[in-house]
Amino acid sequence: MAISFTEENYLKVIHRLSEATQEDISTNAVAEQMQTKAASVTDMLRKLADKGWVNYQKYQGVRLSPTGEKIALSIVRKHRLWELFLVEKMGFNWDEVHDIAEQLEHIESDELVNKLDEYLGFPKTDPHGDPIPNKDGILPELAYSQLSEIKANKTCKLMGVAQDSTVFLQLLTKLNLSLGAKLDIQEINEFDRSIFVSINDAAPIFISHEVAKNILVKS
Amino acid sequence: MAISFTEENYLKVIHRLSEATQEDISTNAVAEQMQTKAASVTDMLRKLADKGWVNYQKYQGVRLSPTGEKIALSIVRKHRLWELFLVEKMGFNWDEVHDIAEQLEHIESDELVNKLDEYLGFPKTDPHGDPIPNKDGILPELAYSQLSEIKANKTCKLMGVAQDSTVFLQLLTKLNLSLGAKLDIQEINEFDRSIFVSINDAAPIFISHEVAKNILVKS
DNA sequence: AATATTTTTTAGATTAACCTAAAAATTTAA
DNA sequence: TTAAATTTTTAGGTTAATCTAAAAAATATT
């Protein structure tokens, strides 16, 4: 069945919100993510339900149906493959690729996506460490922790970020934090939960709890 | 000023039609190319004229303004660069890339286009031999002839095609005709103007005048 | 030159995606 | 457990791009 860019974006947003919770997703939550009004969301949810891509009962919130889930994962797959392409092959920085990938993710050609996947060497993660679904929509298991959960005196490796916003990524770049960085946690301050950490064996610096929550690491 | 996919497609079509003639482009000609109705075209032409991208007086046909020309060339540039990318890097055949490039040509990022250009080695032509405008919108001069205009007993080289339709390109592929092929014209039949030609020194075959008109060669 | 034909435009609708304002349902709090 | 606050939906409009049918202009033909 034909699908519009807008419908794809709604499915993607519902998918993203569903990853964080087991509960049904509220109209307002979707509205906020879509940068639109609740009334518009209600219209669209009814339409997506008619097409069989979501389960929606009014006032009860929304969930993706199995078909909707499959569509959403294929968009996520495209987004992340294109992001990696932009960084690896086109020479963009990791904080520059989101908006372009938002456009490229709507290009419709299974053959292209699979060739791109092959061209990139069937990667498991994108430039932000997010897992890339394979052609069957299976997400590789990554099991990373937030840096904010690691104990003092432990060493870990930066594997990904929980947020792709430009400001956040640029901050990390400024701190010399990129994928694969080695992190030695010297101390955690009780007062504000900020972390005193050495990056790639350099002189230790302070990182706020807010930043640490958005950094994903492997011990 | 913001531009929609549809508006881009209209400018592209007007540009293509303008290449073949000096005259103003008729509403019906645009309608045919856009696969829509004349009434819809009239509406759009008025809108494009309001935006300053075309010169249009009702009943008089339409031409691109300098700004419109610039936009159209940037779309052509993107289309052709993406086509080359699809063939060179993704391994598609030249008859498979048109529809995907029709989507990719609307991706908006000057930086991406220029990086893609560089990645491909600042190519002069796309997989069909069509010239690629550079970043300033300048088209390289190619000056090719139609195979149908070449005299008997001459040798030439296949440099491009005047048509990108799948059926045509697949026919050429079947005849072992691809960019760079060496063509020895043995004989031109007066009756139907078909050409008896040897391709890459193989045993000569017949090519219809219709096909020969759409093959571009360099002596 | 008058008429017929073709082309183009206008008028009035339709659809997708959005909006605001008001009504209805649900949730929270007194 | 009723009232207040919040969330969600409905109702009624808007805009972009399309359509059909009819009117107007341009072109071709007798």
Side-chain angles (χ1 to χ4, degrees):
Chain A
M1 196 182 329
I3 186 167
S4 69
F5 281 21
T6 308
E7 290 167 340
E8 290 194 344
N9 285 332
Y10 270 92
L11 294 179
K12 190 180 57 161
V13 155
I14 297 165
H15 173 82
R16 181 163 59 231
L17 292 168
S18 299
E19 281 186 319
T21 172
Q22 301 294 79
E23 325 225 325
D24 289 4
I25 306 307
S26 73
T27 301
N28 265 353
V30 175
E32 195 195 343
Q33 288 286 313
M34 287 296 299
Q35 313 229 68
T36 185
K37 296 302 157 79
S40 311
V41 174
T42 300
D43 285 352
M44 182 55 87
L45 294 185
R46 201 139 44 76
K47 192 166 127 194
L48 294 175
D50 286 347
K51 293 196 170 190
W53 297 330
V54 301
N55 297 117
Y56 166 68
Q57 307 262 92
K58 59 174 159 168
Y59 295 107
Q60 301 310 130
V62 69
R63 304 239 74 187
L64 291 177
S65 72
T67 322
E69 180 76 18
K70 238 170 79 180
I71 298 169
L73 278 167
S74 96
I75 301 164
V76 168
R77 170 169 160 79
K78 286 189 280 183
H79 183 97
R80 293 182 180 167
L81 284 172
W82 280 117
E83 282 203 339
L84 191 60
F85 167 79
L86 292 170
V87 169
E88 292 265 300
K89 305 293 182 181
M90 295 290 106
F92 282 97
N93 298 319
W94 70 344
D95 58 311
E96 298 174 322
V97 294
H98 187 79
D99 292 353
I100 305 177
E102 291 273 295
Q103 300 179 60
L104 287 164
E105 73 191 4
H106 299 295
I107 301 296
E108 195 183 293
S109 167
D110 288 346
E111 213 181 341
L112 172 57
V113 178
N114 293 334
K115 281 174 189 275
L116 185 64
D117 194 12
E118 185 187 348
Y119 190 60
L120 296 169
F122 303 106
K124 293 247 180 318
T125 58
D126 77 6
H128 312 107
D130 294 314
I132 300 175
N134 72 10
K135 74 162 75 172
D136 302 314
I138 311 290
L139 276 164
E141 283 299 327
L142 297 177
Y144 298 147
S145 326
Q146 294 170 297
L147 176 59
S148 51
E149 300 306 312
I150 307 296
K151 303 278 176 250
N153 298 312
K154 297 272 180 195
T155 292
C156 55
K157 192 170 159 192
L158 200 166
M159 300 304 290
V161 291
Q163 212 203 102
D164 296 352
S165 73
T166 307
V167 277
F168 177 63
L169 294 172
Q170 285 179 348
L171 171 58
L172 295 196
T173 303
K174 225 176 290 172
L175 297 174
N176 201 30
L177 280 166
S178 58
L179 244 53
K182 180 186 164 206
L183 304 175
D184 292 301
I185 301 176
Q186 314 281 326
E187 206 181 325
I188 300 168
N189 297 295
E190 209 182 325
F191 174 65
D192 62 353
R193 293 193 283 173
S194 69
I195 293 172
F196 195 53
V197 62
S198 160
I199 299 161
N200 292 323
D201 301 312
I205 56 163
F206 283 104
I207 287 181
S208 73
H209 178 70
E210 193 55 35
V211 166
K213 273 201 304 188
N214 285 290
I215 293 178
L216 303 177
V217 299
K218 195 171 73 178
S219 311
Chain B
M1 198 182 329
I3 185 167
S4 70
F5 281 21
T6 307
E7 289 167 341
E8 289 194 344
N9 285 332
Y10 271 93
L11 293 180
K12 188 179 58 163
V13 155
I14 297 165
H15 174 82
R16 181 161 60 232
L17 292 167
S18 299
E19 281 186 318
T21 173
Q22 302 294 80
E23 325 225 325
D24 288 4
I25 307 306
S26 74
T27 301
N28 266 353
V30 175
E32 195 195 342
Q33 289 285 314
M34 286 296 298
Q35 313 229 67
T36 186
K37 298 301 159 80
S40 310
V41 174
T42 300
D43 285 351
M44 182 56 86
L45 294 185
R46 202 140 41 78
K47 193 166 126 193
L48 295 175
D50 285 349
K51 293 195 170 191
W53 297 330
V54 301
N55 297 117
Y56 166 69
Q57 307 261 93
K58 58 175 162 168
Y59 295 107
Q60 301 310 129
V62 68
R63 303 240 75 187
L64 291 177
S65 72
T67 322
E69 181 76 18
K70 237 170 81 178
I71 297 171
L73 279 168
S74 97
I75 301 164
V76 168
R77 169 168 160 81
K78 288 190 278 182
H79 183 97
R80 293 180 181 169
L81 284 172
W82 280 117
E83 281 203 339
L84 191 62
F85 168 80
L86 292 170
V87 168
E88 292 266 300
K89 305 293 182 182
M90 295 289 105
F92 282 97
N93 298 318
W94 69 346
D95 58 313
E96 298 173 323
V97 295
H98 187 80
D99 292 353
I100 304 178
E102 291 272 297
Q103 300 180 60
L104 287 164
E105 73 192 4
H106 300 295
I107 300 295
E108 196 184 293
S109 166
D110 288 346
E111 213 182 340
L112 172 57
V113 178
N114 293 335
K115 281 173 188 272
L116 185 65
D117 194 13
E118 183 187 349
Y119 189 58
L120 296 169
F122 303 105
K124 292 246 180 318
T125 57
D126 77 6
H128 312 108
D130 294 314
I132 300 176
N134 73 9
K135 74 162 75 174
D136 303 313
I138 310 292
L139 276 164
E141 282 300 327
L142 298 176
Y144 298 146
S145 327
Q146 293 170 298
L147 176 59
S148 52
E149 300 306 313
I150 306 296
K151 303 278 176 247
N153 298 313
K154 295 274 181 194
T155 292
C156 54
K157 192 168 158 194
L158 200 164
M159 301 304 288
V161 291
Q163 212 202 101
D164 297 351
S165 74
T166 307
V167 278
F168 177 64
L169 294 173
Q170 284 179 348
L171 170 58
L172 294 197
T173 303
K174 224 177 292 173
L175 298 173
N176 202 29
L177 280 167
S178 58
L179 244 54
K182 180 187 165 204
L183 303 174
D184 292 301
I185 300 175
Q186 314 280 327
E187 208 182 324
I188 300 168
N189 297 295
E190 208 182 325
F191 174 64
D192 63 353
R193 293 192 283 171
S194 68
I195 294 173
F196 195 52
V197 63
S198 162
I199 299 162
N200 292 324
D201 302 310
I205 57 166
F206 283 103
I207 287 181
S208 73
H209 178 70
E210 192 56 34
V211 166
K213 271 200 307 188
N214 284 289
I215 292 177
L216 303 177
V217 299
K218 193 173 72 178
S219 311

